[in-house]
């Protein structure tokens, strides 16, 4: 992957219709983004790739649960009590920060300045911090200043719940409170029995879901990385207690491989084990991607014991156990969770695809091209059909082919400008195949197919083109 700045990605995303700021004509809404014509295709292709790899197998079923759920769900899950971040305000700039992030940035600065021992000690102190005062004391002791104003005049740290609250029905009182779900996982846990009873699954089996999640993040930042509305792709794998070490290893490898199969490379991906485990977790690891601003989590794999199902048993009064019909054994299953952000990994795939390179132009001179090297499965437009010139029957031939390809996948037709410019336009949006119709096409029915990355061209019979492309994008 090439070094690219976030500004370049944001500007390309807007210019070519991948991502726009939400409500842009009103000045935008912080932490919310809209997907444009190309972005929505890329996002759908990404979700499809995940859905196929997770649910087109014997042991995993898909669901699509409602975003609004019974408020007791979030008491059982621990979100009402614990889904909080420590927040601090600077009295001079009035800027608000996540206290733990301020400290993490300070640790990174110490590391950069070669103060490794101090950084290590502070990291240990941060991971032991529980109470608001613990975070506050670190900020004071370390004399951490506001990045915006340089001021050290801080308010006390307070915990802030990240769930968006709203009301169901016309009366806004405590009895009508509902939350916008902050994760999709709970929709899976509460449907565990329904799926078990209505499918032919037995332990071990999984349930997968893709959907929107909402978090009232204190600081949104880095484009799609931390937003208030986003999409998750989560899978909960229900297993027999005791199998969790083996299954955790299995899923961690599977998920890493998935990114590689879609064109990511090992220099931009790494595992990061959690320093601090949630009290119910037996193990947890993140898959991190090397973003333009540094390494950041794109997926978490968590070994969650029987915490979730046991809590829902307790709060709902319903049995959520599995009975082995052979051995008559009863148990509440353990869970391995894989949780990836669709929008956050969309951004990772976009950054990874971005390439600027020097190639010879039509005259053989050195030229620069920007190309998005998406895996063909992810590319928003799969092929472009380009008549070499706008005459001699080429447009008619091209349009017939275009209409036929359009029945199977997303294609563009372009007859304006010189062929070289049209190729560059497609390169910049990541179209893997350009099909050119020239004089020979009219005499022998063949066309050229140019592959985006190698720029090599082959000649194929026009009626073989669809199959050729389908083989590469499915
Ligand atoms: P963080 O520590 O970054 O806040 P988290 O550990 O709380 O994230 P999880 O709850 O494990 O994140 O969420 C799983 C996945 O959902 C993350 O790996 C990420 O891809 C995605 N995700 C979480 N929060 C956001 C957000 N605010 N914006 C975009 N994607 C998010």
């Amino acid at each position: 992957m090439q070094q690219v700045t976030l500004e370049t990605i944001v500007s390309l995303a807007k210019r070519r219709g991948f991502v726009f700021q939400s409500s842009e004509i009103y000045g935008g809404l912080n932490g919310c983004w809209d997907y444009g014509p190309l972005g929505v295709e890329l996002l759908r292709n990404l979700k499809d790739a995940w859905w196929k790899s997770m649910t087109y197998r014997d042991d995993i079923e898909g669901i699509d649960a409602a975003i609004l759920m019974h408020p007791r769900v979030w008491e059982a899950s621990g979100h009402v009590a614990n889904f909080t971040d420590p927040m601090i305000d600077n009295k001079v700039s009035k800027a608000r920060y996540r206290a733990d992030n301020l400290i993490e940035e300070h640790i990174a600065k110490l590391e950069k300045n070669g103060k490794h021992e101090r950084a290590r000690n502070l990291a240990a102190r941060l991971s032991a911090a529980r109470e608001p005062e613990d975070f506050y004391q670190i900020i004071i002791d370390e004399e951490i200043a506001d990045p915006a104003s340089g001021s050290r005049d801080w308010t006390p740290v307070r915990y802030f719940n990240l769930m968006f609250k709203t009301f169901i029905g016309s009366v806004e009182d405590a009895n009508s409170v509902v939350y916008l779900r902050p994760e999709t996982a709970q929709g899976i846990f509460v449907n565990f029995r329904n799926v078990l009873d209505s499918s032919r699954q037995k332990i071990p089996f999984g349930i997968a879901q893709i959907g929107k999640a909402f978090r009232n993040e204190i600081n949104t930042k880095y484009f799609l990385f931390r937003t208030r509305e986003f999409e998750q792709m989560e899978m909960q794998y229900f297993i027999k207690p005791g199998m969790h070490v083996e299954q955790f290893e299995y899923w961690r490898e599977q998920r890493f491989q998935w990114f590689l199969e879609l064109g990511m490379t090992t220099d931009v991906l790494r595992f990061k084990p959690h320093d601090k485990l949630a009290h119910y977790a037996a193990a947890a690891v993140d898959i991190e991607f090397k973003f333009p601003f540094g390494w950041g989590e794109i997926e978490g794999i968590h070994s969650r014991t029987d915490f979730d199902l046991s809590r829902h048993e307790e709060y709902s009064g319903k049995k959520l156990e599995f009975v082995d019909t052979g051995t008559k054994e009863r148990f509440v299953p353990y869970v391995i969770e894989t949780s990836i952000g669709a929008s956050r990994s969309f951004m990772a795939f976009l950054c990874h695809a971005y390439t600027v390179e020097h190639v010879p132009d039509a005259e053989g001179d050195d030229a620069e091209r920007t190309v998005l090297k998406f895996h063909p499965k992810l590319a928003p437009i799969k092929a472009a059909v380009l008549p070499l010139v706008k005459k001699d029957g080429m447009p008619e031939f091209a349009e017939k082919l275009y209409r036929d390809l359009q029945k199977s996948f997303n294609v563009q037709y372009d007859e304006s400008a010189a062929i070289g410019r049209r190729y560059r336009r497609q390169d910049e949006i990541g179209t893997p195949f350009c099909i050119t119709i020239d004089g020979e096409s009219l005499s022998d029915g063949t066309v050229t197919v140019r592959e985006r990355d190698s720029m090599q061209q082959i000649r194929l019979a026009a009626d073989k083109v669809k199959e050729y492309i389908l083989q590469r994008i499915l």
Side-chain angles (χ1 to χ4, degrees), residues 215 217 225-227 230 232 297-299 339 341 344:
R215 296 183 187 179
E217 298 279 0
F225 184 81
R226 188 173 302 289
T227 55
F230 55 97
Q232 288 187 315
E297 170 189 341
I298 46 177
E299 174 155 3
S339 171
R344 203 183 268 186

Side-chain angles (χ1 to χ4, degrees), residues 143-435:
E143 299 183 348
I144 297 177
D146 174 9
S149 65
S151 149
R152 295 194 176 86
D153 197 359
W154 297 106
T155 63
V157 172
R158 282 166 297 156
Y159 270 122
F160 170 77
N161 195 299
L162 300 182
M163 282 198 293
F164 279 99
K165 214 186 234 183
T166 186
F167 301 93
I168 211 157
S170 58
V171 184
E172 296 192 5
D173 64 15
N175 295 327
S176 60
V177 166
V178 286
Y179 301 96
L180 300 188
R181 66 180 176 199
E183 60 172 34
T184 57
Q186 299 305 323
I188 293 179
F189 292 126
V190 301
N191 277 298
F192 166 73
R193 270 242 73 90
N194 285 336
V195 175
L196 187 64
D197 294 346
S198 60
S199 67
R200 301 181 55 208
Q201 297 294 350
K202 289 191 174 58
I203 296 288
F205 80 100
I207 305 178
Q209 173 168 223
I210 300 178
K212 291 262 184 172
F214 303 82
R215 296 183 187 179
N216 200 359
E217 298 279 0
I218 296 169
N219 295 124
T220 60
K221 59 178 171 183
Y222 303 139
F223 192 33
L224 306 175
F225 184 81
R226 188 173 302 289
T227 55
R228 297 206 163 102
E229 173 175 342
F230 55 97
E231 227 167 344
Q232 288 187 315
M233 309 192 279
E234 295 194 300
M235 193 279 299
Q236 313 292 326
Y237 203 70
F238 300 96
I239 56 176
K240 202 170 162 177
M243 297 301 288
H244 52 288
V245 175
E246 192 179 303
Q247 287 289 342
F248 180 74
E249 282 306 308
Y250 170 81
W251 281 108
R252 162 188 196 278
E253 291 313 314
Q254 287 287 308
R255 295 304 309 144
F256 198 86
Q257 278 306 316
W258 183 79
F259 289 103
L260 298 181
E261 280 159 22
L262 288 176
M264 289 236 182
T265 42
T266 48
D267 55 326
V268 295
L269 288 178
R270 71 176 186 193
F271 284 120
K272 173 101 185 299
H274 284 205
D275 304 331
K276 191 158 92 178
L277 285 182
H279 58 281
Y280 52 83
V285 68
D286 293 340
I287 297 176
E288 291 192 333
F289 174 77
K290 199 174 183 183
F291 284 100
F293 57 83
W295 290 95
E297 170 189 341
I298 46 177
E299 174 155 3
I301 296 103
H302 311 125
S303 178
R304 302 179 63 102
T305 67
D306 59 0
F307 173 79
D308 307 276
L309 290 180
S310 300
R311 291 277 289 197
H312 285 301
E313 273 203 332
E314 186 189 330
Y315 278 70
S316 69
K318 301 281 183 320
K319 281 252 165 278
L320 297 177
E321 57 184 17
F322 176 75
V323 185
D324 187 321
T325 45
T327 63
K328 305 283 179 251
E329 219 184 330
R330 294 170 171 270
F331 56 87
V332 175
Y334 269 37
V335 167
I336 306 295
E337 166 183 78
T338 71
S339 171
I340 166 175
S343 20
R344 203 183 268 186
S345 53
F346 171 106
M347 175 175 163
F349 280 106
L350 186 59
C351 294
H352 189 246
Y354 184 87
T355 315
V356 176
E357 58 189 21
H358 287 268
V359 292
D361 66 11
E363 285 77 44
D365 296 330
D366 179 57
E368 193 179 89
R369 74 164 180 162
T370 302
V371 48
L372 290 180
K373 295 191 170 179
F374 291 128
H375 188 288
K377 270 189 197 176
L378 297 184
I381 309 291
K382 306 302 184 190
V385 180
L386 317 169
L388 189 61
V389 289
K390 251 193 276 184
K391 54 181 187 188
D392 303 335
M394 290 182 213
E396 292 75 15
F397 189 109
E399 185 167 348
K400 189 160 164 273
L401 179 60
Y402 165 68
R403 293 280 167 222
D404 180 46
L405 297 181
Q406 201 175 41
K407 290 183 199 141
S408 304
F409 41 81
N410 205 353
V411 209
Q412 280 191 354
Y413 178 85
D414 187 2
E415 58 177 24
S416 65
I419 191 74
R421 275 197 52 198
R422 282 182 273 164
Y423 284 154
R424 296 288 178 272
R425 238 182 247 158
Q426 295 300 329
D427 288 345
E428 208 192 357
I429 60 170
T431 308
F433 303 103
C434 282
I435 303 150

